[in-house]
C-alpha cells in the first residue's frame, strides 16, 4: 500500500501556554513495497509521523493517505485501517494482552470473523515466521519471554492478520547485537518475500542503511530524503549531522591508504570484518603462490 503525507502538521497540546510543533507541513510519498527508515534527533517528528500512518495520532491539518484510507482531523474507519497497517511499539509490553503467546496472537484474528481452524493456521504460521516454535512457546506467558522473544511475539500478533504495511518504532531498542540482527533480518525477509511496505523508526544509522531509503527528520520537517543505493550515501548522511559509525570511519581511512574505494558494498561492522578477512586470505594466497 502506498503512503502519502500531504501538507501534514501536528502540535502536542500540553500544559504549556503554546503548543509544541511536532510536524510542520510534511509532504512525502512512500511507494508500495518500499522499506523506509525515519531517522533524526529526539523531538524531530519521526515517531509522530509513524503513529499517523496507523491513525494513532490524527493531523491538525493536512492529510495522510494509506491506500484507500484517508487520515485527517475528523477521519474514522480506524479499525479497518489497523487491519491493514500493523504497528509495533518501542515497548512490546504495550501490545501483549493474552495470558499465553498463542492466545495473544488470536486477539487480532478474532476481529477478522474467520473460523477457529483458520485462526489457528494463521497463528502457527506467524509464530514460525518470527522464529518462535509453536510447540515451545504457544503456552508460555508473553511476559516471561526475553526482550527479543517478546518483540517476536508482538510482531507475530501483527503478522497473523497479514497487514500490507508494517510500522516499527525502535524495534531493536535494548536488544543484544545478535537479537538485533535477527529482528532486522526478519524485517528484510518480510519486505522481500511478501512485499510488505515497512516504515522503520530508528536512531541507529547502521540499521537505516539496510533499508531502501532514509528520511532524516529535524524540527518536524523532512530535511533529507536519501536512497541507500546512492554513491554518496555516507556523505549525504554526514551532511545532515548524523554520526558516522566507527566501522565506517575506519573503512574511509583504509580507502584513503589504498587510494581507491573498496569494490564491495559494506554497510555494517560485520561486513567490513568479512571483507578484510577475504582480502587477507587473498594476500596470503598471493604470497604462497
Amino acid at each position: 500500500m502506498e503512503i502519502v503525507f500531504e501538507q501534514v502538521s501536528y502540535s502536542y497540546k500540553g500544559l504549556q501556554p503554546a503548543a509544541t510543533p511536532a510536524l510542520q507541513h510534511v509532504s512525502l510519498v512512500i511507494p508500495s513495497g518500499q522499506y523506509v527508515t525515519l531517522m533524526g534527533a529526539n523531538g524531530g517528528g519521526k515517531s509522530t509521523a509513524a503513529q499517523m500512518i496507523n491513525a494513532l495520532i490524527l493531523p491538525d491539518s493536512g492529510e495522510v493517505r494509506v491506500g484507500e484510507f484517508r487520515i485527517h482531523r475528523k477521519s474514522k474507519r480506524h479499525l479497518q485501517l489497523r487491519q491493514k497497517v500493523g504497528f509495533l511499539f518501542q515497548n512490546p509490553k504495550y501490545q501483549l494482552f493474552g495470558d499465553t503467546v498463542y492466545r495473544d496472537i488470536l486477539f487480532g484474528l478474532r476481529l477478522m470473523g474467520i473460523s477457529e481452524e483458520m485462526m489457528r493456521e494463521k497463528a502457527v504460521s506467524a509464530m514460525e515466521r518470527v522464529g518462535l516454535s509453536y510447540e515451545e512457546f504457544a503456552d508460555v506467558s508473553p511476559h516471561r519471554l526475553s526482550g527479543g522473544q517478546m518483540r517476536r511475539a508482538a510482531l507475530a500478533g501483527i503478522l497473523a492478520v497479514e497487514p500490507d504495511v508494517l510500522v516499527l518504532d525502535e524495534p531493536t531498542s535494548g536488544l543484544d547485537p545478535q537479537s538485533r540482527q535477527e529482528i532486522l533480518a526478519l524485517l528484510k525477509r518480510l519486505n522481500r518475500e511478501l512485499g510488505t511496505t515497512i516504515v522503520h523508526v530508528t536512531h541507529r544509522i547502521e540499521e537505516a542503511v539496510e533499508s531502501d531509503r532514509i528520511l532524516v527528520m529535524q524540527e518536524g520537517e523532512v530535511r533529507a530524503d536519501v536512497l541507500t543505493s546512492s554513491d554518496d550515501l555516507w556523505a549525504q548522511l554526514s551532511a545532515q549531522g548524523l554520526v558516522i559509525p566507527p566501522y565506517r570511519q575506519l573503512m574511509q581511512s583504509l580507502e584513503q591508504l589504498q587510494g581507491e574505494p573498496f569494490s564491495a558494498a559494506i554497510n555494517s561492522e560485520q561486513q567490513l570484518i568479512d571483507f578484510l578477512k577475504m582480502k587477507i586470505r587473498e594476500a596470503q594466497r598471493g604470497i604462497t603462490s
Side-chain angles (χ1 to χ4, degrees), residues 4-254:
V4 179
F5 280 64
E6 192 170 286
Q7 290 294 307
V8 174
S9 295
Y10 180 80
S11 295
Y12 287 99
K13 292 82 176 173
L15 300 176
Q16 301 297 325
T20 303
L23 296 179
Q24 303 187 67
H25 310 292
V26 171
S27 293
L28 61 91
V29 177
I30 299 174
S32 179
Q34 193 171 64
Y35 188 159
V36 173
T37 304
L38 303 183
M39 290 199 72
N42 288 335
K46 56 189 184 299
S47 290
T48 303
Q51 291 181 63
M52 281 190 179
I53 298 171
N54 202 27
L56 294 171
I57 295 176
L58 300 180
D60 291 335
S61 62
E63 181 177 86
V64 180
R65 295 193 298 277
V66 182
E68 65 178 30
F69 297 95
R70 301 165 71 92
I71 304 166
H72 49 78
R73 191 164 59 89
K74 298 182 179 180
S75 66
K76 298 179 181 178
R77 298 180 65 201
H78 298 159
L79 179 59
Q80 295 96 318
L81 169 69
R82 288 168 189 161
Q83 290 178 342
K84 297 292 185 180
V85 181
F87 192 99
L88 185 68
F89 289 90
Q90 181 174 350
N91 188 338
K93 292 181 180 180
Y94 294 156
Q95 59 195 110
L96 294 170
F97 306 109
D99 58 347
T100 69
V101 171
Y102 179 67
R103 291 196 183 99
D104 189 87
I105 295 172
L106 292 182
F107 181 82
L109 291 170
R110 293 194 188 283
L111 301 176
M112 298 176 66
I114 58 179
S115 67
E116 289 288 334
E117 182 181 355
M118 182 63 72
M119 284 194 292
R120 175 183 170 80
E121 182 180 320
K122 288 181 179 293
V124 172
S125 176
M127 290 183 67
E128 296 295 338
R129 187 174 290 277
V130 302
L132 291 178
S133 164
Y134 174 80
E135 289 75 14
E136 184 177 355
F137 292 99
D139 296 326
V140 176
S141 167
H143 299 288
R144 295 183 62 185
L145 301 174
S146 68
Q149 291 169 342
M150 196 175 291
R151 275 190 173 79
R152 290 173 186 270
L155 188 54
I158 295 169
L159 297 181
V161 300
E162 300 174 351
D164 295 312
V165 177
L166 189 57
V167 184
L168 311 106
D169 192 358
E170 300 283 359
T172 66
S173 176
L175 298 183
D176 61 77
Q178 180 177 343
S179 297
R180 187 161 59 243
Q181 288 303 315
E182 290 172 351
I183 291 292
L184 292 174
L186 171 61
L187 296 179
K188 292 173 73 173
R189 281 202 310 274
L190 293 172
N191 178 247
R192 289 198 205 98
E193 296 173 6
L194 302 182
T196 307
T197 305
I198 294 182
V199 179
H200 178 170
V201 177
T202 184
H203 284 88
R204 295 179 177 275
I205 196 169
E206 59 270 32
E207 293 182 11
V209 296
E210 295 292 329
S211 65
D212 299 322
R213 178 180 171 203
I214 301 172
L215 301 177
V216 181
M217 301 193 68
Q218 296 180 14
E219 298 179 345
E221 300 176 345
V222 177
R223 296 288 177 83
D225 185 344
V226 184
L227 292 176
T228 56
S229 58
S230 301
D231 291 337
D232 61 344
L233 167 65
W234 293 98
Q236 291 189 64
L237 297 179
S238 181
Q240 295 302 317
L242 299 178
V243 178
I244 304 303
Y247 83 85
R248 187 68 199 186
Q249 296 176 24
L250 172 60
M251 182 175 165
Q252 290 172 340
S253 297
L254 293 173

